[in-house]
Amino acid sequence: MRALPGPTGHVVVVGAGLAGLSAALHLLGAGRRVTVVERGALPGGRAGRLERGGYRIDTGPTVLTMPDLVEDAFAAVGENLRDHLELLPLHPAYRAQFADGSELDVHTRADAMEAEIERFAGAREAVGYRRLRRWLSTLHAVQMRRFIDVNYDSPLQLLHPDLARLAALGGFGRLDARIGRHLRDERLRRVFSFQALYAGVPPSRALAAYAVFACMDTVAGVYFPRGGMHALPQAMADAAAGAGADLRYGHDVLRLERSGPRVTAVVTDQDRITCDAVVLTAELPTAYRLLGRRPRRPARLRHSPSAVVLHAGTHRTWPRLAHHTLSFGAAWKSTFRELTRTGQLMTDPSLLITRPTATDPDLAPPGRHLHCILAPCPNTDLGPSTREWTDLAPRYRDSLLAELERRGLEGLASAVEEQCLVTPADWHAQGHSAGTPFSVAHTFAQTGPFRPRNLVAGTENAVLAGCGTTPGVGVPTVLLSGKLAAARITGLQA
């Protein structure tokens, strides 16, 4: 692994999102002095918090898996996660509802899931699930140690015996087909492949290796922090401050000062901070602009689909809803075609409905409930432009509510007391390229050593972190990106 040359005693981390806070904790644990600058008033970045009418709304990710990565970040500074944050395991991890009226609870425990699948689809599918689970666990173990939790300096690093193991596991086949070898029921195949949507690749074209995301959900388990998802970055920030980090909120970075190939200072709208190294967690275009460098690539970066998110505070809820509910439409292949090729809004939407008050009622006023409705949609490179979303947003909100009422959530629209609607235009206004919070798609040409590197040519002492660089999109991988960035600075293997 290539480490930064020269002194690295004082590191400035730009951005107090999950990637920046992960980097800060790992750097502090390695004895570096750390200053974190964040343009917002709170830590969290994408994992922010909106307070409205007594409702405490998480504005970013809603699904937390692989808590061991969170534990690693706290352990880096000698702290115990449980002293800062209570993580509640979700049972079920998801509830899947299908267009034919059937329902499946997705459990993390193998015996519970096997029994549920036997009830849902029969004994043969339950046996297939056992085989699939073993395959997912083996795939995850191989990928994590060699292809995810690793700093790449060259694609030649792929030439390792683990590459042959991954190939032998079928990791370079197609995701849909590989899962189909274990499960024949089309509904079950959706449950173990829908995660590819957030990676920006349809299951029929995604590498089978991307099943690692399904493993994170269905084997490693799904958790929810008491106090909401924003409680995670807040706890990480508190631990960093306790370990000596200087956290400066409300500081917008204007430019980087350089001396030859080295960054010597970070200049914000309030001060100038000298440094020996810098970690940049901003969107790639912003990071490259600050560095004055844009890496050459043979093709333009392709971005994942975006999402419309409706946060709704209501005076009632619906017993059919679990903490996370997947509401699948009848369409599937055509849905991915609309999202990734034609740029149309889903004509028969598949939706993720999160009800955080099912686990933590204190996130809403007494007797009230929070619902977060996520509808994948094309990004602004492919679908409606930011300007078009101005007129489209209220109509699309109404259509989503009407569709959910048709699917059994009667009276949803009239139950809404507080709401916040977020569209690709809003993601774009927040600085997210192509109007998507899911960043660069995980196509083969944008994965592993082919994803934008966390080192930028022409700059000796800057490292990137966040979902645009390695290893990629999602809470676990973003936490790893901070750890990998810290390893570039300290020279310690991640």
Side-chain angles (χ1 to χ4, degrees):
M1 179 195 71
R2 178 186 160 196
L4 300 189
T8 59
H10 179 211
V11 183
V12 174
V13 177
V14 177
L18 294 176
L21 293 169
S22 174
L25 288 168
H26 285 285
L27 287 165
L28 289 162
R32 299 312 191 268
R33 184 163 65 94
V34 176
T35 301
V36 180
V37 292
E38 164 60 45
R39 66 180 178 181
L42 297 169
R46 283 174 171 84
R49 166 62 55 81
L50 175 66
E51 307 236 1
R52 183 169 292 182
Y55 293 93
R56 296 157 63 195
I57 299 169
D58 288 317
T59 61
T62 59
V63 179
L64 175 62
T65 65
M66 299 188 68
D68 55 307
L69 297 177
V70 183
E71 292 174 355
D72 285 348
F74 283 92
V77 292
E79 293 289 328
N80 191 316
L81 166 65
R82 292 170 183 80
D83 294 334
H84 293 266
L85 190 68
E86 183 182 3
L87 293 185
L88 305 169
L90 299 185
H91 303 295
Y94 294 95
R95 176 166 293 151
Q97 299 176 343
F98 300 93
D100 63 1
S102 59
E103 289 189 356
L104 172 78
D105 280 352
V106 179
H107 298 284
T108 299
R109 285 182 23 244
D111 55 349
M113 189 60 182
E114 185 174 5
E116 176 69 354
I117 288 179
E118 184 168 354
R119 176 202 66 80
F120 179 80
R124 185 172 64 179
E125 293 296 84
V127 172
Y129 159 73
R130 279 286 188 176
R131 293 197 307 268
L132 175 62
R133 185 184 177 97
R134 287 194 295 270
W135 177 71
L136 288 173
S137 298
T138 305
L139 185 77
H140 179 268
V142 171
Q143 284 191 268
M144 184 59 70
R145 68 173 176 255
R146 180 56 53 182
F147 304 107
I148 297 177
D149 189 6
V150 61
N151 272 314
Y152 284 102
D153 293 322
S154 165
L156 294 177
Q157 284 178 248
L158 292 174
L159 301 179
H160 184 277
D162 278 343
L163 183 67
R165 295 187 184 100
L166 184 59
L169 287 167
F172 297 108
R174 294 303 174 196
L175 177 61
D176 223 7
R178 191 71 197 189
I179 291 176
R181 293 180 63 173
H182 303 283
L183 300 173
R184 296 187 179 184
D185 191 295
E186 190 267 345
R187 297 167 300 172
L188 291 175
R189 293 202 300 268
R190 290 191 189 190
V191 169
F192 290 94
S193 64
F194 80 90
Q195 298 89 349
L197 186 146
Y198 305 108
V201 187
S204 59
R205 291 193 289 122
L207 290 178
Y210 294 168
V212 68
F213 294 114
C215 183
M216 292 176 183
D217 283 356
T218 64
V219 177
V222 178
Y223 296 79
F224 187 71
R226 187 176 298 280
M229 287 292 287
H230 178 70
L232 171 58
Q234 186 62 64
M236 294 175 71
D238 291 344
D246 178 5
L247 290 96
R248 305 184 187 185
Y249 300 111
H251 284 57
D252 195 7
V253 174
L254 302 179
R255 67 182 186 276
L256 305 178
E257 290 184 2
R258 302 172 63 103
S259 176
R262 296 187 67 84
V263 175
T264 56
V266 175
V267 180
T268 75
D269 56 355
Q270 298 191 39
D271 50 22
R272 174 182 178 274
I273 310 165
T274 59
C275 62
D276 297 311
V278 62
V279 176
L280 299 173
T281 70
E283 283 281 296
L284 290 177
T286 301
Y288 292 152
R289 175 180 58 79
L290 288 170
L291 291 170
R293 300 286 189 275
R294 181 172 291 278
R296 293 182 179 179
R297 294 182 62 89
R300 180 184 177 190
L301 287 174
R302 183 178 142 200
H303 289 82
S304 295
S306 185
V308 171
V309 181
L310 174 61
H311 300 284
T314 63
H315 60 69
R316 60 166 294 193
T317 189
W318 292 262
R320 290 185 64 198
L321 296 177
H323 186 111
H324 293 299
T325 301
L326 294 161
S327 178
F328 289 107
W332 190 238
K333 290 183 179 179
S334 62
T335 294
F336 281 95
R337 186 165 56 250
E338 289 165 345
L339 293 172
T340 64
R341 292 195 172 183
T342 66
Q344 296 172 261
L345 297 177
M346 292 182 290
T347 52
D348 184 12
S350 289
L351 308 169
L352 173 62
I353 307 156
T354 297
R355 183 165 67 102
T357 44
T359 303
D360 189 350
D362 290 341
L363 295 174
R368 298 298 191 263
H369 309 270
L370 260 178
H371 301 85
C372 170
I373 301 158
L374 186 149
C377 68
N379 62 47
T380 55
D381 283 346
L382 186 66
S385 67
T386 55
R387 180 175 299 179
E388 289 173 302
W389 272 109
T390 302
D391 295 327
L392 180 58
R395 299 199 308 272
Y396 193 59
R397 168 201 174 275
D398 292 345
S399 72
L400 287 176
L401 292 175
E403 180 62 28
L404 287 171
E405 293 205 8
R406 282 192 293 272
R407 296 183 185 185
L409 304 187
E410 299 91 352
L412 173 59
S414 61
V416 176
E417 295 180 329
E418 294 284 348
Q419 64 175 302
C420 175
L421 183 68
V422 185
T423 73
D426 299 300
W427 300 123
H428 183 270
Q430 293 174 29
H432 299 308
S433 301
T436 174
F438 304 118
S439 194
V440 178
H442 279 266
T443 61
F444 178 77
Q446 296 178 171
T447 298
F450 309 113
R451 198 165 180 82
R453 297 179 65 206
N454 58 8
L455 297 180
V456 180
T459 304
E460 285 186 353
N461 62 337
V463 190
L464 306 184
C467 57
T469 185
T470 54
V473 178
V475 172
T477 40
V478 164
L479 290 169
L480 279 174
S481 80
K483 176 186 172 186
L484 293 172
R488 290 287 194 189
I489 293 170
T490 64
L492 302 174
Q493 289 289 344

